[in-house]
Amino acid sequence: MRLRKQALGNRNLVGARVELARKGKGMKQKDLLAQLQINGIDMNASGLSKLEGQIRFVTDFELVALANILDVSVEWLLGQQK
């Protein structure tokens, strides 16, 4: 497992939760990327890494797709639910 080289950013609230949910489901980033593609979200590995590292912004379309794929609520991704 590779360690993050950059410190966490401040451009989204959901990145850490996306990573937590993804790892909790035993998914690799490439698995999540494939599911995003199936759901019409075009994102590359660098984009997902930056999203999880809170370095890039998340669109509303991406937020909904991530919640559906990871089987969590949008509110949970936003830190509104525990």
Side-chain angles (χ1 to χ4, degrees), residues 14 27 29 32 43 45 56-57 62 70:
V14 305
M27 294 177 81
Q29 280 187 336
L32 180 53
M43 187 182 300
R56 91 182 257 293
F57 294 108
E62 292 169 343
L70 297 170

Side-chain angles (χ1 to χ4, degrees), residues 16-77:
R17 292 230 171 180
V18 167
E19 184 176 17
L20 180 67
R22 176 181 61 78
K23 288 180 177 179
K25 293 181 85 57
M27 294 177 81
K28 295 184 182 272
Q29 280 187 336
K30 67 179 182 176
D31 300 327
L32 180 53
L33 284 169
Q35 289 298 312
L36 285 166
Q37 295 262 328
I38 290 169
N39 284 273
I41 304 296
D42 188 27
M43 187 182 300
N44 60 25
S46 175
L48 180 56
S49 181
K50 288 177 181 177
L51 184 152
E52 288 185 351
Q54 298 171 301
I55 297 168
R56 91 182 257 293
F57 294 108
V58 180
T59 68
D60 52 356
F61 294 108
E62 292 169 343
L63 184 64
V64 171
L66 287 163
N68 289 334
I69 293 165
L70 297 170
D71 197 29
V72 296
S73 69
V74 169
E75 291 81 11
W76 184 84
L77 285 177

